Amino acid sequence: MAKARDEMLTIPEVIEEIGVPRATFYRWRQCRKGPKAIKLPNGSVRIRRSELDRWIAGMEEAA
């Protein structure tokens, strides 16, 4: 069975899911405390579903 594709999320999708303001998310990115992101050639940013899940799990472990 083929491995399912890792969904690429937009920033609005991510901030809606984690429930933080856009400014907070961008501050986290600037401080390198947010999930790893991918910058596409057109300048838009995407976050892999697996990376978001890993980042959230890491936050749970730290709590």
Side-chain angles (χ1 to χ4, degrees):
M1 180 176 254
K3 183 180 176 185
R5 286 186 64 192
D6 198 3
E7 183 181 11
M8 301 284 277
L9 304 170
T10 63
I11 289 179
E13 291 171 330
V14 171
I15 62 175
E16 181 179 331
E17 183 168 329
I18 61 178
V20 298
R22 182 180 207 95
T24 299
F25 181 80
Y26 279 108
R27 187 171 55 248
W28 289 347
R29 277 188 38 102
Q30 189 174 31
C31 297
R32 301 197 185 279
K33 294 188 179 208
K36 292 179 185 173
I38 300 166
K39 190 166 189 177
L40 300 176
N42 67 358
S44 53
V45 176
R46 297 290 185 272
I47 298 165
R48 291 184 191 276
R49 163 61 63 193
S50 60
E51 173 57 24
L52 180 61
D53 292 343
R54 184 203 62 76
W55 180 76
I56 291 171
M59 301 296 274
E60 290 174 348
E61 292 171 6

